[in-house]
Amino acid sequence: MNSPSTTKTATLHEAAAILRHLSPQDFAAFGVDHVAYVRPVEVEGAPAFSVHAADGTPLTVLPERDVAFATIRQNDMEPLSVH
């Protein structure tokens, strides 16, 4: 019988093999519904934070980083910072 660590390692290798065979278009779309990026911007001279989909599509601009992250999480996505 396989140990849990052996099974986990096998699963990781299988996932890696699948990812290696993705086309560039499929790889670019990978996670597009699960991740949003937050980056600092200036709007009319005031600091703000723009939120972008994983494919770079602008979604919104919010006045505070914490509000941007909360908004992303409320939409069942994972926020990531871009500097």
Side-chain angles (χ1 to χ4, degrees), residues 14-15 19 37-38 42 52 54 57 59 70 72-74 82:
E14 291 167 7
L19 290 174
Y37 296 96
V38 176
E42 270 191 30
H52 298 262
T57 303
L59 301 173
I72 292 167
R73 287 189 179 114
Q74 285 176 345
V82 177

Side-chain angles (χ1 to χ4, degrees), residues 3 5 8-10 16-17 22 26 28 38 40 42 46-48 60 62-63 74 80:
S3 71
S5 64
K8 184 176 181 180
T9 301
L22 288 177
D26 289 338
V38 176
E42 270 191 30
T60 190
L62 297 162
Q74 285 176 345
L80 298 172

Side-chain angles (χ1 to χ4, degrees), residues 13-79:
H13 288 298
E14 291 167 7
I18 291 167
L19 290 174
R20 280 199 264 324
H21 290 94
L22 288 177
S23 71
Q25 295 82 12
D26 289 338
F27 189 76
F30 190 71
V32 76
D33 295 332
H34 305 289
V35 175
Y37 296 96
V38 176
R39 71 171 235 202
V41 295
E42 270 191 30
V43 176
E44 298 179 6
F49 294 85
S50 63
V51 178
H52 298 262
D55 66 357
T57 303
L59 301 173
T60 190
V61 176
L62 297 162
E64 297 178 20
R65 183 180 181 274
D66 292 341
V67 173
F69 271 58
T71 301
I72 292 167
R73 287 189 179 114
Q74 285 176 345
N75 286 282
D76 298 322
M77 294 187 287
E78 187 64 31

